Amino acid sequence: MPKRSTDHPVGARKRRASLPLACPAPDVATPLLGGLTPAQFMRKYWQKKPLLIRQAIPDIEAPLSRDELFELADSDDVESRLITHFRRRWALEHGPFSPDELPTPKTRNWTLLVQGADLHDDRARALLERFRFAPDARLDDLMISYASDGGGVGPHFDSYDVFLLQVHGKRRWRIGAQRDLSLKDGLPLKVLANFEPEEEWVLEPGDMLYLPPHIAHDGIAEGECMTCSVGFRSPSTSELTSQFLYWLAERGADHGERKPALYRDPDQPAVAHPAQLPPALVERVAGVLAKVRWTDADVASFVGSWLSEPKANVVFDAPEKPLDEARFVAQAVKDGITLDRRTILLYDSRSYYLNGEQCLLKEARKWLPALADRRSIDGKRFVTLSHDSCVTALLHEWYRAGWIRTGVLA
Ligand code: SIN
Ligand code: CO
């Protein structure tokens, strides 16, 4: 994605070294947010109310052409959906789709949605970089949709904060903050039963609409259109709870003593009603559960590990002919290193979390936060790291696993 002068307004030079280049610093006004600074946007709009931004990215180019998107949708490891609304009937199919399985662009009322485009294409990943004024821990993915004239997914709501960026053609959006979020029965997709739009706009290339979770919306293509959705997930309380308890149980199993504690009932008398659930059994289970304990550090470990876990379809490609450590270091000193677009690297004050694994920050404290924030280290900075054999051995391991590569994105 070419860098445009409009992305670096006055004051941009003050950006801290840790920020990725494409992302506006918290206190720098940016066209991406309609002239607000990220700090103002987060305060006034994030999770609070919708914002329409005309020409958020002027002269935007779609990260992928229509044919490239169709090619992606033909791949086994890409999550794609085809939604049609032919003869007023909604239908949903899951990919992969060979090009001849898709309706022609001249056929009206269909849309192809490709999830996680950032995992498969560096240009799509580069677009996401602009949105890193919100924490990576909240970032989910970049979805790209292609729609023929009249195409859309019907009025619905999401559990996501989403930036809907128009990258090609026009789309008419209608939105409403209705309370009634009941859905139509018997449909293969979530369509609101009673959509009550309050506002309406036609978005053109470069325009963007921010929506917090649960705002009802409907986007209908006016001619062929492509939209990029940058999604930030808001896990539900029940998902957080079940994932945490699962993590806690697994962690218990990992720490496992040789003789795990078992449910015991040596005082269980013989029964005349074998099907009856013994109240004493329930009491004993309650006693076991009441002893479950965790600390804030456990919660941090869970959150970091869980949120840095790659999606199920992610497979890292190790380099075909990996350089040995000395050659890797020589190359990195020349060209720098970059996190693979699929890599998720988070950190807190004690640990870092790399693709689902927690490690102590300790000596990595000196360099890892900058790598995680910028997602790259240039050759010049790498020279300093290259003197520490523990660091180069670690980074070489990551390189062999396909988590980082040499070179820095332009
Ligand atoms: C689309 O891009 O077609 C739909 C995006 C959305 O409504 O969330
Ligand atoms: Co939506």
Side-chain angles (χ1 to χ4, degrees):
M1 177 95 15
K3 257 186 282 152
R4 306 196 58 80
S5 55
T6 43
D7 295 330
H8 300 279
V10 183
R13 276 171 202 203
K14 282 196 220 144
R15 77 172 64 247
R16 275 174 237 132
S18 59
L19 279 165
L21 287 175
C23 178
D27 45 6
V28 173
T30 172
L32 183 70
L33 299 169
L36 297 176
T37 65
Q40 289 167 329
F41 170 80
M42 297 302 277
R43 257 196 322 270
K44 287 191 195 156
Y45 293 95
W46 179 254
Q47 294 257 302
K48 298 167 196 79
K49 54 184 177 183
L51 177 65
L52 170 74
I53 303 147
R54 294 287 181 195
Q55 293 306 288
I57 307 184
D59 302 328
I60 181 95
E61 274 176 35
L64 273 77
S65 68
R66 182 181 78 191
D67 289 348
E68 285 171 325
L69 190 72
F70 290 1
E71 208 175 292
L72 215 50
D74 194 9
S75 163
D76 281 333
D77 57 357
V78 175
E79 211 186 314
S80 59
R81 286 167 292 162
L82 171 66
I83 295 175
T84 57
H85 195 205
F86 299 153
R87 297 200 195 100
R88 312 186 87 209
R89 273 193 48 181
W90 289 107
L92 163 71
E93 276 178 70
H94 290 275
F97 303 103
S98 62
D100 59 359
E101 284 174 308
L102 295 173
T104 68
K106 290 221 168 86
T107 310
R108 296 190 71 243
N109 299 346
W110 65 275
T111 185
L112 173 74
L113 307 168
V114 175
Q115 211 72 52
D118 52 299
L119 301 173
H120 306 285
D121 188 279
D122 280 339
R123 292 161 298 175
R125 171 70 227 185
L127 187 53
L128 270 195
E129 292 291 312
R130 296 173 184 260
F131 295 85
R132 292 182 68 214
F133 52 82
D136 287 353
R138 288 278 269 101
L139 184 61
D140 192 52
D141 76 341
L142 178 80
M143 181 183 84
I144 305 182
S145 70
Y146 165 84
S148 69
D149 185 37
V153 301
H156 66 284
F157 67 91
D158 298 307
S159 311
Y160 278 63
D161 293 270
V162 68
F163 293 91
L164 296 155
L165 173 66
Q166 194 60 23
V167 295
H168 177 81
K170 294 184 194 174
R171 189 185 279 276
R172 180 177 297 275
W173 284 102
R174 292 180 301 152
I175 69 165
Q178 63 196 64
R179 290 214 172 164
D180 173 9
L181 295 178
S182 53
L183 300 173
K184 284 192 179 166
D185 284 333
L187 295 185
L189 58 156
K190 287 185 182 175
V191 176
L192 284 166
N194 308 301
F195 182 42
E196 297 154 20
E198 292 158 345
E199 287 181 282
E200 175 169 335
W201 308 279
V202 175
L203 268 65
E204 306 211 359
D207 293 345
M208 185 164 81
L209 178 59
Y210 162 74
L211 297 178
H214 292 176
I215 292 288
H217 56 285
D218 187 22
I220 298 179
E222 301 205 336
E224 267 186 281
C225 116
M226 215 190 260
T227 306
C228 286
S229 310
V230 180
F232 292 82
R233 76 175 165 160
S234 302
S236 67
T237 305
S238 82
E239 189 186 6
L240 278 176
T241 313
S242 62
Q243 290 290 337
F244 176 63
L245 292 177
Y246 178 76
W247 177 88
L248 207 58
E250 286 284 294
R251 206 244 345 224
D254 285 351
H255 287 191
E257 307 88 52
R258 261 188 308 136
K259 245 173 94 190
L262 299 178
Y263 172 81
R264 295 187 74 249
D265 55 358
D267 50 357
Q268 173 64 54
V271 294
H273 302 285
Q276 190 185 32
L277 189 60
L281 183 151
V282 176
E283 237 172 75
R284 276 186 220 108
V285 171
V288 170
L289 295 182
K291 284 194 198 127
V292 176
R293 292 277 179 276
W294 61 85
T295 62
D296 286 352
D298 291 331
V299 176
S301 298
F302 154 68
V303 170
S305 310
W306 183 48
L307 295 179
S308 67
E309 228 165 67
K311 298 227 160 95
N313 60 345
V314 167
V315 181
F316 287 94
D317 312 310
E320 255 175 46
K321 287 187 189 151
L323 302 169
D324 64 22
E325 191 179 325
R327 287 204 179 91
F328 162 74
V329 171
Q331 184 94 45
V333 161
K334 204 162 124 271
D335 298 336
I337 54 167
T338 302
L339 298 184
D340 181 83
R341 59 176 179 262
R342 287 157 284 206
T343 285
I344 307 179
L345 178 58
L346 307 174
Y347 62 90
D348 59 26
S349 56
R350 286 184 321 129
S351 302
Y352 67 87
Y353 308 89
L354 175 60
N355 295 324
E357 294 295 325
Q358 178 181 16
C359 298
L360 288 181
L361 202 51
K362 281 196 198 147
E363 285 86 31
R365 192 180 299 281
K366 284 183 232 145
W367 55 273
L368 187 134
L371 172 61
D373 287 331
R374 292 183 66 92
R375 295 187 65 84
S376 65
I377 294 179
D378 63 21
K380 240 172 109 196
R381 286 207 186 100
F382 195 90
V383 174
T384 327
L385 294 185
S386 67
H387 302 311
D388 186 333
S389 59
C390 291
V391 178
T392 55
L394 181 69
L395 289 173
H396 185 240
E397 206 181 291
W398 293 6
Y399 157 78
R400 287 182 63 99
W403 300 334
I404 60 170
R405 50 202 160 88
T406 55
V408 172
L409 290 180

